[in-house]
Amino acid sequence: MNELEDILGIKFPSNCEVSSVTNTSKKVKKDSLFFGLQGINEHGSNYALEALNLGASLVVHNDKNLKISNKKVFYVKDLENILVRFLNSFYKININDNNFFTFTGTNGKTSSAFLCHQLLTNMEYESIYIGTIGVQHNNEQLQTSYSSNTTPDIFELFEIVHSCNWSMNSLNICIEISSHALDQKRLEGIHDFYSASILNIEDDHLDYHNNIASYIDAKFKIFKINSTARLIQENLLKFKNQFKFLEDPNKKLTSISSTNRFADIFFKIKNISLKKSEFYIQINNPPQNQEHEKGKKYHFKCNLFPEFNISNLIYSICSIGFDKFSEDIVNDLSFLKLPTGRSELIKNISANVIVDYAHNENAIKFFLNSIEKYFDNLIAVFGCGGDRDRKKRSKMLRSAIENSSKVIFTSDNLRNETFEQIFNDAKEGNKLETVIAIENRKEAILQGSKMIGKKDCLVILGKGHEQFQEKEGSYIKYNDFEVIDEIYS
């Protein structure tokens, strides 16, 4: 216990035990050490007494205004600066010894991180995926108690890494980093990334960021962390001059493009279908750790579609590097699978049904455009989330109307709004001749299934892998795949 006391600069009460550490009162149990830190809306020190009542053995905080006289409550001025050192000591882990492959973007970060994880696992490296669809250690899904955020905070990250019981060489951690996480500095204390990627930036989460400029600023913060490779979609280079820290020659950005042959990394899809695809990557100016790859060209085949998933895969491959691939053959990546509910064409049923997580204007447009050539007609089922950016609802419906034959507007996590309120927002400025509104999502999908022929496709958007519908503070069990299975079984 002396080392922990030395790091914090305090003396623990006699007979004090610390069985766990947390920064949320919801996770406090007997003999927990509770850290009261500044949150988004309030300071965690407000929960100091609650934590003690729940069984915490100690409360450590950095709130100079807190007035509590209790021998188990300690003020530590520079707490945030020593937090990672404390967690390293408590868990007996050096978190910065691990290789972080990080991905941000309005769309595609789940797929890119998950594909990166599969590539590393297939190469027999020890790997963890962390993101929207949970946590996976190699091929095993982990049951964790961390929050539902896309990106965990530093406490949750330690919890996840510790749960892997890996004590040999460094782990490879493939992780999605949301704009919220970058803005809130959730991973403060991680000094280095092996790679950092910005896949794309479209209008989204403006209810949080207020404007697109703040959203872009949050995304580019991923490049502030030391990274061996900094990968970026070429058309985002136009924002580079807005960030003075990128003037540092050690923060070189590597552009990726499928249209500009002179980009740092150029890729071309040679052929693509619902079942197989082939593409190549031409390396013109590689990232800083891959100089030996300059001028090389690699061919690949895989089972992914549509085109944007090949783009997601490109970032995964370039993040890892090309040492395990050959220039002399077509490298076979047929073992790769997309995350559940991402561009997922349902197999072994009598109709064409695709489930995808697209849940913003551009994602809907991009996805429907990407698959329309494979089918005669698209019937799109989707909704807009309650208590989220109201301004994007009409844009989402417009994208669906303009890029499908029929639209069935339905519910998607109403939260504390009514379906009527959400649909009224979505209708604004749109022509509704091809739109049907059905609140019950199961009934909406059933109706959609009755509207497609053999050469058409029912496209169910917005929820993907999710297992619940959120309504009025309750989580109601629901899954799109179970509905499809019930209809076509």
Side-chain angles (χ1 to χ4, degrees), residues 117 121 125-129 136-141:
H117 168 69
T121 302
Y125 292 115
E126 201 77 14
S127 179
I128 308 176
Y129 158 81
Q136 186 168 310
H137 178 212
N138 295 335
N139 296 315
E140 180 185 358
Q141 194 78 17

Side-chain angles (χ1 to χ4, degrees), residues 360-361 364 368 380 382-384 391-404 406-410 422-432 434-436:
N360 61 58
E361 171 197 1
I364 292 171
L368 294 175
F382 89 104
C384 299
K391 294 179 181 178
K392 74 177 186 179
R393 293 171 181 170
S394 61
K395 297 176 183 178
M396 289 171 66
L397 182 55
R398 190 170 304 120
S399 282
I401 292 170
E402 292 176 350
N403 297 284
S404 63
K406 296 282 185 181
V407 176
I408 303 176
F409 191 88
T410 189
I422 294 171
F423 187 43
N424 283 337
D425 286 340
K427 288 190 295 185
E428 189 172 343
N430 285 314
K431 296 179 180 179
L432 303 177
T434 61
V435 179
I436 303 170

Side-chain angles (χ1 to χ4, degrees), residues 101 103 108-117 119-120 195 197 199 231 256 309-321 325 336:
F101 300 85
F103 302 88
K109 53 187 176 289
T110 299
S111 296
S112 293
F114 192 65
L115 292 169
C116 184
H117 168 69
L119 288 170
L120 289 165
S195 67
S197 298
L199 309 173
L231 307 173
I256 295 179
N309 280 319
I310 304 299
S311 177
N312 293 334
L313 175 56
I314 301 299
Y315 284 89
S316 304
I317 294 170
C318 294
S319 294
I320 294 168
F325 300 117
L336 293 173

Side-chain angles (χ1 to χ4, degrees), residues 305-445:
F305 89 102
E307 287 83 350
F308 65 79
N309 280 319
I310 304 299
S311 177
N312 293 334
L313 175 56
I314 301 299
Y315 284 89
S316 304
I317 294 170
C318 294
S319 294
I320 294 168
F322 296 83
D323 291 345
K324 294 287 186 178
F325 300 117
S326 173
E327 284 189 281
D328 303 322
I329 61 170
V330 177
N331 297 275
D332 188 359
L333 305 181
S334 299
F335 62 88
L336 293 173
K337 295 181 180 180
L338 290 168
T340 300
R342 265 67 176 180
S343 307
E344 187 160 352
L345 178 65
I346 308 301
K347 297 178 181 178
N348 304 318
I349 64 173
S350 59
N352 299 311
V353 180
I354 295 178
V355 175
D356 189 75
Y357 192 55
H359 57 281
N360 61 58
E361 171 197 1
N362 289 297
I364 292 171
K365 176 181 178 180
F366 198 42
F367 182 75
L368 294 175
N369 277 340
S370 297
I371 65 169
E372 64 178 352
K373 62 187 174 184
Y374 301 111
F375 308 101
D376 288 349
N377 296 290
L378 300 179
I379 308 299
V381 177
F382 89 104
C384 299
D387 300 337
R388 296 295 185 266
D389 188 0
R390 295 179 61 183
K391 294 179 181 178
K392 74 177 186 179
R393 293 171 181 170
S394 61
K395 297 176 183 178
M396 289 171 66
L397 182 55
R398 190 170 304 120
S399 282
I401 292 170
E402 292 176 350
N403 297 284
S404 63
S405 303
K406 296 282 185 181
V407 176
I408 303 176
F409 191 88
T410 189
S411 58
D412 182 343
N413 294 329
L414 297 175
R415 299 186 176 90
N416 296 304
E417 291 191 73
T418 66
F419 178 72
E420 288 75 17
Q421 288 172 322
I422 294 171
F423 187 43
N424 283 337
D425 286 340
K427 288 190 295 185
E428 189 172 343
N430 285 314
K431 296 179 180 179
L432 303 177
E433 289 86 351
T434 61
V435 179
I436 303 170
I438 301 176
E439 178 175 355
N440 185 289
R441 192 174 177 95
K442 180 178 178 179
E443 291 179 7
I445 294 171

Side-chain angles (χ1 to χ4, degrees), residues 20-135:
S20 64
V21 294
T22 183
N23 63 333
T24 173
S25 59
K26 293 178 181 178
K27 289 188 177 182
V28 170
K29 52 190 177 183
K30 188 177 186 306
D31 295 328
S32 291
L33 194 163
F34 174 72
F35 284 93
L37 301 168
Q38 181 62 53
I40 302 170
N41 300 313
E42 60 180 330
H43 202 288
S45 63
N46 293 339
Y47 297 88
L49 293 179
E50 179 182 335
L52 291 174
N53 290 334
L54 290 169
S57 57
L58 286 174
V59 171
V60 178
H61 68 93
N62 59 354
D63 182 2
K64 61 184 180 182
N65 297 315
L66 182 66
K67 306 297 183 191
I68 293 180
S69 179
N70 189 305
K71 65 179 182 180
K72 294 183 177 182
V73 178
F74 295 87
Y75 169 75
V76 177
K77 180 180 179 181
D78 296 321
L79 185 54
E80 290 184 343
N81 294 327
I82 59 177
L83 195 54
V84 168
R85 185 178 160 210
F86 177 91
L87 293 170
N88 280 335
S89 178
F90 179 81
Y91 285 104
K92 296 179 172 53
I93 293 171
N94 187 341
I95 199 70
N96 281 295
D97 281 349
N98 299 300
N99 300 316
F100 288 86
F101 300 85
T102 64
F103 302 88
T104 196
T106 307
N107 305 305
K109 53 187 176 289
T110 299
S111 296
S112 293
F114 192 65
L115 292 169
C116 184
H117 168 69
Q118 289 178 73
L119 288 170
L120 289 165
T121 302
N122 185 261
M123 294 172 182
E124 299 186 346
Y125 292 115
E126 201 77 14
S127 179
I128 308 176
Y129 158 81
I130 303 172
T132 306
I133 58 172
V135 178

